[in-house]
Amino acid sequence: KIDSGAAMKGFRYLNLDCVDFRGRVTWDDGPSRLLFQNLDCVRGRTRYRLDGAMDLGESESMDFGGEVPAGGNVADFVGIFDSLTKPYWWFPRGVTGPMSGRMRVHGGISLSEMKVDASVEGTRWEYLGERFSKVSIRGGYDRGRYFVSDFDGTKRIGRVHGSISVDSKSNYEWKVSTENLSLSDLDHVASLDIPLRGSLSGTSWGKGPEGSVESKTDLRLTDLVLRG
C-alpha cells in the first residue's frame, strides 16, 4: 500500500475539465484500488470536496462523491463538462450565479459505462439576458445519455420548469412549461419599457432523433393590458 499527500493542477479525466486539487491519495495494490480522501478541489472561484475510489482490477469501476458548499459559481461547475458537451447547442455554457450542490460519479471508468448524478441549487442566476431569482436542477449522465430530469427556475413571480435528455444517437426528448408567468417576468420585454402587461402560459414538448423530431409548442397570452 502507498499512502501519500498529493496536489495537482489542471487535472483532466475522460475529457472532464476537472480541478486543481490537494489531498490524500492511496494506492492499495491488493485489490488494485486507488483511493482519494478529503480532496480539497478548486475550479475557478469555486471550491468543493471530493472523496472516492477507483477499482482498477477486474471490475474497472469507480465511485466518487462531491459537495459544493454555498458560495460556488455555476459557471465553474458547468465548465467541467465543456469538452463533453460541445456538440450540444442547448447546453447552458454562459450561465452564471451563486450555487451549492452535490454530485456522484460512479459506474465504469469509461464514458460508455460512467454515470453522473447531480443536484444543484442556486440564486440570482443569469442566462442569455434572463435572470432567475431561484433555481433547482436535478440531472446528470448515464452511459452516453445526458439528462436534466427536473429543472425549476423562478423569475420575479412566475416559474419555468421541465426536463430534457439526449442520448449517444442524438435522440432528443424534452418537456417545458410555465406557471404564473407574466410579461414583466421576461427581462428582454421589461427592458423595452413598453406599458404592456399580461400573463404568458406555455408548454413545449418534443421527442425523436435529430432532424426528425416530433414536437409541439403552445403559447398563450391572456389578460393583456396596454397602459397609456
Side-chain angles (χ1 to χ4, degrees):
K1 177 183 286 191
I2 301 174
D3 189 6
S4 67
M8 184 176 292
K9 289 184 176 293
F11 176 65
R12 290 172 59 90
Y13 179 70
L14 295 177
N15 281 333
L16 296 173
D17 301 318
C18 296
V19 291
D20 301 339
F21 74 81
R22 182 182 302 273
R24 182 160 297 280
V25 178
T26 302
W27 168 252
D28 192 339
D29 192 47
S32 299
R33 297 185 75 209
L34 193 59
L35 307 176
F36 299 84
Q37 299 171 287
N38 298 318
L39 296 192
D40 184 14
C41 308
V42 180
R43 193 180 197 284
R45 294 170 291 169
T46 300
R47 306 184 73 92
Y48 62 94
R49 304 288 295 181
L50 187 69
D51 291 275
M54 298 182 70
D55 188 335
L56 302 178
E58 293 184 3
S59 68
E60 293 191 333
S61 62
M62 61 180 170
D63 197 340
F64 289 90
E67 181 174 356
V68 183
N73 191 289
V74 67
D76 296 326
F77 185 76
V78 299
I80 295 173
F81 308 98
D82 276 350
S83 297
L84 287 177
T85 57
K86 279 183 179 179
Y88 306 117
W89 58 267
W90 50 268
F91 191 77
R93 294 173 185 82
V95 64
T96 62
M99 67 154 286
S100 62
R102 295 178 180 272
M103 179 172 65
R104 183 187 177 203
V105 182
H106 58 112
I109 61 175
S110 65
L111 277 176
S112 61
E113 296 296 328
M114 185 176 72
K115 298 180 181 180
V116 179
D117 301 308
S119 61
V120 173
E121 306 288 337
T123 58
R124 305 189 309 279
W125 283 18
E126 184 169 347
Y127 180 58
L128 298 178
E130 292 293 327
R131 294 185 290 270
F132 293 84
S133 61
K134 184 179 179 181
V135 176
S136 174
I137 299 176
R138 304 289 181 270
Y141 174 86
D142 186 353
R143 294 167 293 187
R145 175 176 169 266
Y146 298 87
F147 64 93
V148 174
S149 56
D150 183 58
F151 167 84
D152 195 307
T154 303
K155 300 286 285 176
R156 294 177 183 85
I157 301 173
R159 297 166 55 223
V160 180
H161 48 93
S163 61
I164 184 172
S165 68
V166 58
D167 64 19
S168 58
K169 296 182 180 180
S170 295
N171 291 303
Y172 284 84
E173 184 172 1
W174 77 84
K175 184 176 182 180
V176 179
S177 60
T178 66
E179 182 179 315
N180 298 324
L181 198 68
S182 69
L183 286 178
S184 62
D185 275 324
L186 304 178
D187 294 291
H188 284 89
V189 174
S191 66
L192 299 176
D193 198 25
I194 299 175
L196 188 65
R197 299 292 181 267
S199 299
L200 179 66
S201 62
T203 59
S204 177
W205 63 265
K207 184 177 183 180
E210 186 173 12
S212 301
V213 174
E214 179 183 355
S215 64
K216 181 179 180 180
T217 299
D218 181 15
L219 293 176
R220 297 183 181 183
L221 185 60
T222 59
D223 302 323
L224 193 62
V225 177
L226 180 62
R227 300 183 184 277

